């Protein structure tokens, strides 16, 4: 749902935009000044930064899943080089710290309607962190007397994530609260039922991550689904602001900068070929809402960029598909950024129902997810029917496979960090998928990013000895 919070002006946003530092350990306290922010201010910042953290992580992982590709050959992220993603690391820790403060303040004043959303956002930000880096500091990370915190196993952090979801939902179900969010909640404007549904939706997502493990319980996933989103109006997303530039939707900013020849937002041939029909012969009308055809001077049609290979001799504009200004995900400065959607939830339901042997339910959810995503993008109803009627899409309940579900979900979660979780659970088995050219991992697919320079320099004795081919606990071999 698009929720415009109109009373916030640029100077207020700028206070929060410039308040971050480079590392979560860089905390200097001045005893002559107050160090505790009011709960309303913390909620403003935490909701805003939760959306921004989604972009920060998605702007990296979208290269790993080949939604995006670099226009230049052998660019670090594009070829899975050992890059330090310190900004994502530090901003996730800063936001988790603020959310912990909200929870503490809410408990002091008996305000569960504040602690509920905070716990759900804490779980979400923790999931971004652990799914990007694997084992991370948590139990010792927020102690002021320990600047070299030990690392917690990714499985243990997931237990914290699920506990926060459960407690967050319980807080939201409290009969009364001394205070409640309103306009300081940039995501749902204080709508507690929306937060409750989001808690269940995220619970379904996180429980579904266990699909490769013996502990996977598809019925628990389905139970969470039944209490979550009921339409796209419930989507977990945040509307951005017209100004300043830092408060605008960053995918829109990427498209604007690319149009000004500050290159970025180029689409991989993997996603372009799937949408255009080059991969499996099925034209997907969503392509017109994600990108635009290349110039007729270069032959027209849809042409992506091979990951790791760059654009070759092609010019900086016109010859390759990009995230264009005016496309759905870069529609305007205020375009909502999706964190989790009803369409994704339906695909989670399809996967869990299929795993439990309920093909009929799985197929209904699969169709509902496709239709919901197309409708949200604005695809014409006739084009939706034409796509659904293709026998390669409308396969029938008895023929539905995980491959069908994952192919559609790959489009539904375009630019979302969740796609990398799916890709690893699916072992990158998308049709036509291949390692990037000039792969820094010898043609193997990346499973985790390296730890940031700040940890390697200041906390080296605790940093786990692992490579980018090692796996988060749920990504079992």
């Amino acid at each position: 749902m698009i929720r415009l919070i109109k009373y916030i002006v640029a100077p207020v946003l700028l206070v929060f935009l410039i308040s971050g530092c480079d590392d979560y350990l860089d905390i200097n306290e001045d005893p002559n000044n107050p160090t505790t922010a009011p709960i309303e201010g913390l909620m403003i910042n935490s909701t805003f930064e939760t959306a921004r953290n989604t972009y920060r992580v998605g702007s990296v992982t979208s290269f790993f899943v080949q939604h995006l590709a670099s226009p230049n050959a052998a660019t670090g992220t594009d070829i899975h080089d050992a890059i330090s993603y310190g900004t994502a690391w530090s901003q996730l820790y800063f936001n988790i710290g603020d959310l912990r403060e909200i929870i503490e303040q809410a408990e002091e004043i008996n305000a569960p309607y504040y602690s509920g959303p905070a716990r759900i956002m804490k779980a979400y930000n923790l999931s971004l962190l652990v799914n990007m880096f694997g084992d991370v500091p948590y139990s010792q990370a927020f102690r002021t007397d320990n600047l070299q915190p030990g690392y917690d196993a990714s499985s243990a952090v997931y237990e914290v994530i699920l506990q926060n979801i459960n407690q967050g939902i319980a807080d939201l179900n409290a009969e009364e609260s001394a205070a409640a969010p309103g306009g300081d909640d940039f995501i749902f404007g204080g709508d507690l039922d929306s937060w409750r549904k989001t808690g269940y939706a995220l619970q379904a997502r996180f429980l579904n991550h266990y699909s490769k493990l013996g502990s996977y319980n598809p019925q628990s996933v389905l139970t969470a689904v039944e209490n979550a989103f009921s339409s796209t109006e419930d989507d977990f997303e945040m509307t951005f602001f017209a100004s300043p530039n830092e408060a605008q939707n960053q995918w829109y900013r990427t498209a604007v900068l690319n149009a000004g020849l500050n290159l970025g937002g180029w689409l991989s041939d993997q996603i372009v070929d799937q949408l255009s029909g080059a991969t499996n012969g099925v034209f997907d009308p969503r392509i017109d809402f994600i990108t635009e055809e290349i110039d007729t001077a270069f032959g027209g049609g849809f042409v992506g960029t091979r990951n790791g290979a760059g654009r070759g001799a092609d010019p900086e504009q016109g010859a390759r598909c990009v995230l264009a200004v005016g496309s759905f995900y870069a529609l305007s400065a205020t375009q909502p950024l999706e964190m989790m959607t009803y369409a994704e939830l339906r695909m989670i339901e399809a996967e869990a129902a299929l795993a439990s042997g309920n093909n009929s339910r799985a197929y209904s959810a699969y169709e509902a997810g496709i239709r919901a995503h197309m409708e949200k993008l604005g695809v014409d109803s006739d084009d939706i029917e034409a796509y659904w009627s293709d026998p390669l899409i409308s396969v029938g309940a008895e023929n539905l496979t995980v491959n069908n579900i994952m192919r559609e979900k790959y489009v539904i979660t375009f630019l979302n960090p969740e796609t990398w979780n799916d890709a690893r659970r699916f072992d990158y088995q998308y049709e036509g998928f291949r390692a990037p050219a000039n792969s820094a991992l010898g043609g193997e697919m990346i499973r985790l990013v390296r730890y940031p320079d700040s940890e390697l320099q200041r906390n080296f004795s605790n940093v786990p000895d692992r490579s980018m081919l090692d796996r988060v606990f749920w990504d079992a071999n």
Side-chain angles (χ1 to χ4, degrees):
M1 178 184 293
I2 296 176
R3 300 169 178 85
L4 293 173
I5 303 173
K6 298 180 180 179
Y7 70 89
I8 300 297
V9 294
V12 176
L13 285 169
L14 280 171
V15 169
F16 295 104
L17 287 167
I18 65 176
S19 63
C21 299
D22 290 332
D23 191 274
Y24 78 99
L25 295 176
D26 292 337
I27 300 173
N28 298 306
E29 296 185 6
D30 182 350
N32 297 315
N33 290 304
T35 59
T36 302
I39 198 168
E40 297 86 355
L42 288 166
M43 180 62 75
I44 287 172
N45 196 51
S46 293
T47 49
F48 184 67
E49 289 301 326
T50 292
R52 296 240 301 176
N53 281 339
T54 303
Y55 166 78
R56 289 181 179 114
V57 177
S59 65
V60 173
T61 61
S62 291
F63 288 91
F64 301 160
V65 299
Q66 299 183 7
H67 282 164
L68 300 180
S70 174
N72 301 312
T75 300
T77 299
D78 206 15
I79 65 169
H80 309 165
D81 208 348
I83 303 295
S84 173
Y85 298 108
T87 297
W89 172 277
S90 61
Q91 293 302 326
L92 284 164
Y93 270 106
F94 276 126
N95 206 30
I96 293 165
D98 282 348
L99 289 162
R100 285 166 53 91
E101 178 66 23
I102 292 175
I103 293 166
E104 290 177 6
Q105 290 193 30
E107 289 177 342
E108 289 176 0
I109 64 173
N110 190 27
Y113 295 168
Y114 265 104
S115 57
R119 292 185 197 277
I120 289 168
M121 284 188 285
K122 178 185 170 187
Y124 176 75
N125 281 270
L126 270 174
S127 76
L128 294 176
L129 179 71
V130 72
N131 291 329
M132 192 174 187
F133 294 96
D135 298 350
V136 294
Y138 177 73
S139 58
Q140 299 178 18
F142 301 95
R143 288 169 42 185
T144 58
D145 63 342
N146 184 4
L147 298 182
Q148 293 182 317
Y151 277 61
D152 296 79
S154 58
S155 57
V157 180
Y158 250 68
E159 292 177 7
V160 173
I161 288 169
L162 292 171
Q163 289 166 3
N164 272 271
I165 291 289
N166 289 334
Q167 186 58 57
I169 292 171
D171 288 351
L172 290 163
N173 287 333
E175 292 185 359
E176 58 183 25
S177 179
D184 52 340
D185 169 7
F186 281 5
I187 297 174
F188 289 123
D191 187 330
L192 300 182
D193 189 50
S194 292
W195 278 112
R196 189 179 299 106
K197 290 179 179 179
T198 295
Y200 281 114
L202 290 172
Q203 184 180 67
R205 175 194 274 183
F206 300 146
L207 290 173
N208 204 46
H209 288 170
Y210 288 71
S211 63
K212 296 172 76 172
L213 304 179
S215 58
Y216 179 55
N217 185 344
Q219 188 53 55
S220 295
V221 176
L222 294 173
T223 299
V225 166
E226 289 161 5
N227 291 289
F229 306 147
S230 57
S231 75
T232 56
E233 293 298 304
D234 296 326
D235 286 354
F236 181 37
E237 60 186 24
M238 195 197 84
T239 299
F240 280 80
F241 301 87
S243 64
N245 288 347
E246 294 84 356
Q248 295 178 352
N249 181 302
Q250 292 301 294
W251 290 120
Y252 167 77
R253 292 300 310 160
T254 298
V256 169
L257 290 171
N258 184 73
L261 297 184
N262 187 347
L263 302 185
W266 287 44
L267 300 195
S268 170
D269 58 1
Q270 176 66 30
I271 183 68
V272 170
D273 288 353
Q274 175 172 325
L275 292 167
S276 70
T279 299
N280 59 15
V282 181
F283 178 79
D284 190 328
R286 285 173 287 193
I287 195 169
D288 290 321
F289 296 84
I290 291 175
T291 187
E292 56 189 17
E293 293 190 38
I294 66 172
D295 291 348
T296 55
F298 301 103
F302 297 97
V303 180
T305 299
R306 168 88 161 96
N307 288 82
R311 68 185 188 276
D314 284 340
E316 296 174 326
Q317 285 185 338
R320 303 293 179 95
C321 289
V322 300
L323 189 65
V325 176
S327 61
F328 179 83
Y329 294 93
L331 184 62
S332 69
T334 60
Q335 179 69 356
L337 187 143
E338 298 173 343
M339 290 171 276
M340 185 172 181
T341 67
Y342 170 77
E344 179 199 333
L345 183 72
R346 294 277 74 84
M347 289 301 169
I348 292 171
E349 179 184 9
E351 185 181 348
L354 190 66
S356 68
N358 190 338
N359 285 57
S360 177
R361 179 174 181 176
Y363 194 64
S364 294
Y366 165 76
E367 179 182 358
I370 294 172
R371 290 182 178 276
H373 187 237
M374 288 189 163
E375 289 168 0
K376 185 174 183 179
L377 264 61
V379 178
D380 182 81
S381 59
D382 289 341
D383 290 334
I384 295 175
E385 295 305 325
Y387 183 77
W388 177 250
S389 66
D390 192 292
L392 289 176
I393 307 302
S394 184
V395 296
E398 295 308 311
N399 298 316
L400 184 67
T401 66
V402 171
N403 289 31
N404 300 123
I405 296 167
M406 286 301 201
R407 180 188 60 219
E408 291 298 328
K409 198 177 178 194
Y410 179 74
V411 180
I412 286 170
T413 56
F414 181 64
L415 301 180
N416 193 299
E418 182 63 14
T419 315
W420 191 32
N421 301 331
D422 283 341
R424 288 176 286 177
R425 290 193 304 113
F426 193 45
D427 290 319
Y428 292 94
Q429 295 301 303
Y430 301 106
E431 187 175 356
F433 204 94
R434 52 186 172 166
N438 303 302
S439 168
L441 295 177
E444 296 292 325
M445 296 306 299
I446 188 169
R447 298 286 177 167
L448 291 170
V449 302
R450 62 164 284 206
Y451 290 110
D453 289 340
S454 58
E455 283 294 282
L456 297 174
Q457 293 165 1
R458 305 178 196 177
N459 196 22
F460 180 78
S461 62
N462 288 313
V463 175
D465 181 16
R466 58 103 172 138
S467 76
M468 295 188 295
L469 297 179
D470 289 314
R471 304 175 181 226
V472 66
F473 82 98
W474 50 255
D475 185 20
N477 288 311

